[in-house]
């Protein structure tokens, strides 16, 4: 089965055919580096990381070029620099480093190229020159604007009447615009802001321009896939498309346009433990990053993702269950012969076949991660059955399958013992306290209290094992759905 991707421009799922399979190109709009990334900003990073991993698998690591820009000149950056009395690079260097740290924590591979806007001012000016020369842009009051009426297909990506889009996006009304939808390519800098010379007067670029310039510089005038959040379709991507096509009279900018849905937060559903933690930088300190990644991929990327405490709890329980199964498998396979372990080798034909089937049935179908999760649950179930049956070869085989499948999504690559050693200290303390309370209740023959405590432990996904030395406990299994 070929890779199918939903293209926003044609509004259909299409078989993916790259222009050149030896150089598959992907561009995703990156962060504006002036503060910490919100968990909603991490969704496209993780979604397109899965696509990047999949493309690398299909075309080879060396044949996929992924560029994600860093917007390091912008009104908000300028304001932060003025407020703190520092050069913009002080702000942008700091938050670029933090962004890398946070996205690395979420298991996202770094893009092949990370172009910075300020390093591409010449390319942006060349693009403006070409647009002015071809009659698609005009200078007015120190600004250069793109003339939307010069491009008949303007609005085709968002597919809504221009008036609706303008109303929805609150497009700035300015006296120097010929049409309300015309957008800024170049504008004068305010006092204290960074400034560059240009044929149209000193100033700085408009935001949309940088992506067109950097796509062309790093990947070429036409690319295979352009991605980003749903909120970027209009005006950002509509404007990128218009600029890039008009500057070269090109037939297209990207062969496929992919957009991920919103991450929504319901304040009422977030009232428990994580209610006011929305920054990745803070979240990764409280929740294991792999749990956050699992949660970010739990809905199909085009669907909205409802971010709640219970989603996080569920994902945590799921990963604990999967790691517990892997831990049990690992314990059984200690000392097993190479011939037994060979059944779990990634290169073993039957392991390869199963992984192939996993990719075809889930990821190649427009990155269907919910389906992938069901298939991982199935693989874990088979591993669990093999463990129960005590069949070492089957344990090795199903463990190999589960690990290889999960790897494609960036999951389950930690040592399972290490996963549990790092278990949440708060939970450990709570469980120990409940167990002590239960011992006291049993000694007092207070069975009602003892039962209630047991129920409370079950609700925490804790399995209690009573033995001659007293009670021990471990995290229980749960279905990864
Ligand atoms: Zn962009």
């Amino acid at each position: 089965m070929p890779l199918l991707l939903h293209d926003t421009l044609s509004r259909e799922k299409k078989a993916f055919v790259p222009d050149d399979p030896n150089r598959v190109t992907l561009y995703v709009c990156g962060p504006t580096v002036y503060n910490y990334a919100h968990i909603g900003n991490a969704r496209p990073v993780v979604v397109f990381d899965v696509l990047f991993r999949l493309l690398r698998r299909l075309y080879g690591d060396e044949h996929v070029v992924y560029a994600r820009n860093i917007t390091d000149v912008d009104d908000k950056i300028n304001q932060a620099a003025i407020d703190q009395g520092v050069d913009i690079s002080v702000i942008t260097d700091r938050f670029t480093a933090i962004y890398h740290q946070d996205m690395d924590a979420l298991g996202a591979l770094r893009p092949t190229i990370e172009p910075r806007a300020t390093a591409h001012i010449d390319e942006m000016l060349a693009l403006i020159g070409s647009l002015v020369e071809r009659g698609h842009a005009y200078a007015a009051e120190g600004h250069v604007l793109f003339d939307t009426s010069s491009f008949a297909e303007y609005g085709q990506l968002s597919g809504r009447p221009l008036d609706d889009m303008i109303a929805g996006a609150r497009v700035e009304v300015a006296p120097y615009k010929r049409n309300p939808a015309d957008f800024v390519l170049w504008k004068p800098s305010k006092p204290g802001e960074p400034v560059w010379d240009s044929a149209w007067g000193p100033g700085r670029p408009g935001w949309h321009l940088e992506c067109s310039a950097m796509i062309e510089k790093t990947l070429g005038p036409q690319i295979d896939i352009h991605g980003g959040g749903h909120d970027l379709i209009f005006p950002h991507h509509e404007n990128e498309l218009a600029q890039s096509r008009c500057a070269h009279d090109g037939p297209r900018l990207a062969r496929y346009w992919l957009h991920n849905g919103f991450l929504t937060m319901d304040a009422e559903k977030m009232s428990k433990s994580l209610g006011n933690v929305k920054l990745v930088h803070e979240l990764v300190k409280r929740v294991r990053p792999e749990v956050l990644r699992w949660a970010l991929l739990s809905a199909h990327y085009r669907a909205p993702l409802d971010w709640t405490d219970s989603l996080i709890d569920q994902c945590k329980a799921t990963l604990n269950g999967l790691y517990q199964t892997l831990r049990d498998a690992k314990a059984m396979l200690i000392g097993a012969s190479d011939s037994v372990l060979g059944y779990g080798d990634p290169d073993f034909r039957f392991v390869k076949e199963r992984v192939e089937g996993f990719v075809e049935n889930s990821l190649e179908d427009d990155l269907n991660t919910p389906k992938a999760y069901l298939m991982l649950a199935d693989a874990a179930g088979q591993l669990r059955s093999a463990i129960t049956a005590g069949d070492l070869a089957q344990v090795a085989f199903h463990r190999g399958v589960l690990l290889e499948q999960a790897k494609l999504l960036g999951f389950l690559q930690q040592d399972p013992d290490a996963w549990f050693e790092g278990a949440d200290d708060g939970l450990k303390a709570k469980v120990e306290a409940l167990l002590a309370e239960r011992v006291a209740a049993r000694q007092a023959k207070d069975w009602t209290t003892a039962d209630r405590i047991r129920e409370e432990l079950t609700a925490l996904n804790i399995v209690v094992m009573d033995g001659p030395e007293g009670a021990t406990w471990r995290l229980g299994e749960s279905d990864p759905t």
Side-chain angles (χ1 to χ4, degrees), residues 425-439 453 457 460 462 471-474:
D425 288 338
L427 178 69
K428 253 187 206 166
K430 190 169 183 181
V431 172
E432 298 294 344
L434 283 169
L435 284 176
E437 214 184 302
R438 181 166 161 269
V439 170
I453 294 169
L457 288 164
L460 289 169
I462 300 297
T472 55
W473 62 278
R474 64 170 175 84

Side-chain angles (χ1 to χ4, degrees), residues 29 211 236 240:
C29 297
C211 288
H236 187 55
E240 277 186 30

Side-chain angles (χ1 to χ4, degrees), residues 33 72-73 77-78 81 86-93 118 194 196:
V33 280
D72 61 354
V73 55
I77 296 171
N78 295 337
V86 295
D87 188 78
I88 58 166
S89 65
V90 174
I91 306 281
T92 58
D93 286 351
T118 52
W196 287 269

Side-chain angles (χ1 to χ4, degrees), residues 81 107 129 142 172 186 211 234 255 264 298 344 367 394-395 426 454-455 476:
E172 193 189 351
W186 190 258
C211 288
F234 187 85
R255 300 162 74 84
T264 56
S298 61
L367 307 180
Q394 286 291 313
V395 170
R454 179 140 206 145
E455 274 165 29

Side-chain angles (χ1 to χ4, degrees), residues 380-448:
Q382 292 186 48
L383 175 56
R384 177 52 63 195
S385 302
I387 292 169
T388 308
D391 185 333
L392 283 190
Q394 286 291 313
V395 170
F397 173 67
H398 290 295
R399 175 175 175 270
V401 169
L402 177 60
L403 285 175
E404 280 304 293
Q405 292 181 350
K407 190 178 175 181
L408 292 163
L409 290 163
F411 292 124
L412 301 183
Q413 302 305 301
Q414 299 185 44
D415 178 81
D417 291 321
W419 174 267
F420 288 102
E421 273 157 28
D424 173 337
D425 288 338
L427 178 69
K428 253 187 206 166
K430 190 169 183 181
V431 172
E432 298 294 344
L434 283 169
L435 284 176
E437 214 184 302
R438 181 166 161 269
V439 170
R442 291 175 75 154
Q443 279 168 352
K445 300 200 188 316
D446 178 357
W447 308 119
T448 317

Side-chain angles (χ1 to χ4, degrees), residues 57-129:
R57 176 184 163 86
L58 298 175
Y59 296 95
D61 291 0
E62 305 303 312
H63 300 301
V64 183
V65 191
Y66 173 18
R68 186 180 65 207
N69 68 305
I70 289 176
T71 299
D72 61 354
V73 55
D74 166 276
D75 289 341
K76 296 181 202 102
I77 296 171
N78 295 337
Q79 194 55 53
I82 291 168
D83 290 348
Q84 297 175 34
V86 295
D87 188 78
I88 58 166
S89 65
V90 174
I91 306 281
T92 58
D93 286 351
R94 173 167 176 237
F95 285 105
T96 299
I98 291 170
Y99 185 79
H100 281 151
Q101 191 188 331
D102 293 344
M103 300 307 137
D104 288 353
L106 293 178
L109 303 175
R110 295 266 180 107
T112 325
I113 314 168
E114 283 192 293
R116 282 171 169 257
T118 52
H120 293 82
I121 303 289
D122 288 347
E123 286 81 359
M124 293 189 224
L125 290 170
L127 209 58
I128 297 176

